[in-house]
Every structure is written in structure tokens, then in C-alpha cells.
Amino acid sequence: MDLIKLVEQEMAVGKQHPHFKSGDTISVAYRIKEGDKERIQTFRGDVIKIVGESDNRRFTVRKLSSGVGVERIFPLNSPFIDEIIVHKVGHVRRAKLYYLRKLTGKKARIREKRSF
């Protein structure tokens, strides 16, 4: 089993992303290939959950687009992720924020963590 992990570490992409957790507001610059063209699309929203371990981590980002909730799952070590920017650090008490799916308007806001 350790041999498999050793090979995975050698094959890793090696990009360094900022540390973030559930409740943070981030924007993910993701490379999209359409035919023979390639462009970068940013997806800004709140991190709902982070699952997986070590190199196989995935995170789900949720945003509201025209009043409709849109969620997208990104693998952390994907070669298509150009950069991740952390805009706000949220103050939440749970690791998985599924309850945000039912809330709308001001109730769906996440408090910002104050730093002194």
C-alpha cells in the first residue's frame, strides 16, 4: 500500500494552493477547453464541504446565479485549476454546510471571521 502512495506523490501536479476550509468565500479560476479554444472561467462562491484525504481531496463550491443555487465540485489537484483566491474567511461551526441549500436571502449569509 505504501508503494502506491509513493507513486502518487511522485506523479502529483505540485501546485500550491492557499489553505481554505468550509465557509470560506473563494474564487476558482478553471481552464475550460471548448473545441480547439481554451479559456479561463472563474467560479466564485462559498465552500460547502471538503472531502477526501491527502492528494485525493475534492471541494464543493456553491453560488447563487439569478436566484438559483449552483454547486460545482473541484478536485484539489486538478491540472485544470489555474488558481484559487480566498476572499473571505467564514465563521462556521460545521464541516459540511448542507443547510445552506434550503436558505435564501439574508439567512444564507455566512458570518466573516474577525481577525485582530
Side-chain angles (χ1 to χ4, degrees):
M1 210 56 170
D2 293 338
L3 190 61
I4 294 172
K5 288 184 180 181
L6 182 69
V7 172
E8 284 179 351
Q9 288 174 355
E10 289 177 7
M11 298 294 287
V13 177
K15 285 189 179 179
Q16 296 296 325
H17 297 297
H19 176 73
F20 58 91
K21 58 180 181 47
S22 294
D24 294 353
T25 302
I26 64 171
S27 62
V28 181
Y30 201 70
R31 277 189 282 142
I32 295 177
K33 192 172 187 180
E34 295 173 337
D36 57 345
K37 292 187 205 174
E38 192 172 294
R39 66 184 175 90
I40 294 177
Q41 182 180 19
T42 57
F43 192 88
R44 181 176 175 158
D46 298 325
V47 179
I48 285 189
K49 67 176 177 176
I50 300 173
V51 294
E53 59 183 42
S54 67
D55 292 338
N56 297 327
R57 295 175 64 187
R58 296 166 311 282
F59 59 98
T60 303
V61 181
R62 178 181 173 83
K63 75 173 184 176
L64 284 176
S65 179
S66 302
V68 178
V70 178
E71 292 184 11
R72 186 146 182 203
I73 301 170
F74 297 99
L76 189 63
N77 287 332
S78 172
F80 296 109
I81 292 180
D82 203 40
E83 69 174 330
I84 298 174
I85 300 169
V86 179
H87 296 285
K88 286 191 226 174
V89 178
H91 180 264
V92 293
R93 297 171 65 175
R94 301 178 188 274
K96 303 209 172 29
L97 307 176
Y98 297 133
Y99 65 90
L100 289 177
R101 293 174 177 163
K102 293 184 269 184
L103 302 178
T104 58
K106 288 186 176 182
K107 297 177 202 172
R109 287 187 297 183
I110 297 174
R111 286 190 300 159
E112 189 172 358
K113 185 180 257 187
R114 293 193 292 173
S115 60
F116 296 102

